[in-house]
């Protein structure tokens, strides 16, 4: 985890960063001390407003935000930042917190969401159905479910015909 203290009032300055920030975004603490704009310039553009919202928060505000950075080597790095905004006795305002690399978690979540979307698309367009049956000699029952609204139109077997079929295996399948 990278720990940080960024002063937001009366001026902007990076006051403290642990060396772990180098692994996170590829820039050292010294790079950030020399250029406070590096924090925003390495954020992916669509996440800059999120960081500015945190930096503009009232003292006493706690935060937890996911951010996407562009590493010095060009790859995207996702991080989870937690912290709080605090007013010091001298009147200055600082944002203190930590940032953790969650790139692997973000990528896994993205792959899962993609797989779920593909499965949903497949299920919505499938022409398959399924049936549950209890073949107990004393009680035969079936349940019927489909994965697609198209299935009943393509199938000549109904739940009732399934029940008759399983209750009387020698009987007609359709009837």
């Amino acid at each position: 985890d990278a720990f940080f203290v960024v002063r937001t009032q009366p001026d902007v300055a990076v006051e403290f960063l642990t060396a772990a920030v180098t692994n996170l975004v590829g820039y050292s603490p010294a790079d950030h001390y020399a250029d406070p704009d590096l924090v925003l310039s390495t954020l992916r553009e669509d996440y800059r407003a999120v960081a500015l919202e945190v930096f503009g928060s009232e003292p006493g505000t706690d935060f937890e935000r996911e951010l996407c950075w562009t590493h010095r080597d060009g790859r995207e790095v996702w991080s989870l930042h937690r912290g709080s905004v605090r007013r010091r006795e001298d009147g200055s305002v600082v944002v203190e917190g930590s940032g953790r690399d969650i790139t692997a978690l973000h990528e896994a979540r993205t792959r899962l969401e993609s797989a779920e979307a593909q499965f949903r698309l497949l299920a919505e367009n499938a022409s398959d159905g399924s049936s549950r049956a209890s073949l107990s000699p004393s009680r035969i029952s079936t349940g019927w479910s489909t994965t697609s609204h198209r299935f009943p139109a393509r199938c000549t077997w109904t739940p009732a015909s399934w029940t008759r079929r399983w209750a009387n295996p020698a009987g007609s399948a359709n009837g």
Side-chain angles (χ1 to χ4, degrees):
D1 289 0
F3 295 91
F4 60 87
V5 178
V6 177
R7 186 175 60 242
T8 59
Q9 290 179 20
D11 58 346
V12 176
V14 176
E15 291 188 351
F16 174 77
L17 273 175
T18 57
V21 73
T22 307
N23 292 333
L24 189 64
V25 293
Y27 295 92
S28 70
D31 294 331
H32 285 87
Y33 298 146
D35 181 6
D37 291 334
L38 196 54
V39 172
L40 290 178
S41 67
T42 55
L43 270 171
R44 203 170 77 184
E45 191 171 333
D46 49 334
Y47 284 87
R48 291 178 187 161
V50 175
L52 289 171
E53 172 202 339
V54 169
F55 291 152
S57 296
E58 293 295 317
T61 303
D62 294 328
F63 64 89
E64 179 177 304
R65 301 285 190 282
E66 286 188 19
L67 299 172
C68 184
W69 305 85
T70 302
H71 192 278
R72 186 177 221 158
D73 65 13
R75 64 188 158 96
E76 282 191 346
V77 177
W78 289 85
S79 59
L80 175 63
H81 293 265
R82 293 182 177 133
S84 60
V85 181
R86 179 173 71 82
R87 183 176 307 280
R88 293 178 173 158
E89 289 182 16
D90 67 1
S92 63
V93 176
V94 292
V95 177
E96 301 171 319
S98 65
R100 169 173 287 178
D101 186 346
I102 61 164
T103 304
L105 174 64
H106 176 80
E107 289 170 352
R109 239 184 352 219
T110 301
R111 283 191 306 272
L112 177 62
E113 289 168 2
S114 176
E116 287 174 346
Q118 289 176 354
F119 179 76
R120 220 176 355 269
L121 184 62
L122 177 64
E124 289 168 358
N125 292 290
S127 59
D128 294 341
S130 63
S131 177
R132 295 183 312 271
S134 170
L135 300 178
S136 165
S138 62
R139 183 171 167 255
I140 295 179
S141 65
T142 62
W144 183 262
S145 63
T146 64
T147 58
S148 170
H149 62 281
R150 294 182 175 96
F151 181 73
R154 294 183 181 177
C155 181
T156 59
W157 291 31
T158 66
S161 67
W162 270 93
T163 303
R164 285 192 300 276
R165 167 80 170 123
W166 287 104
N168 182 10
S172 168
N174 289 320

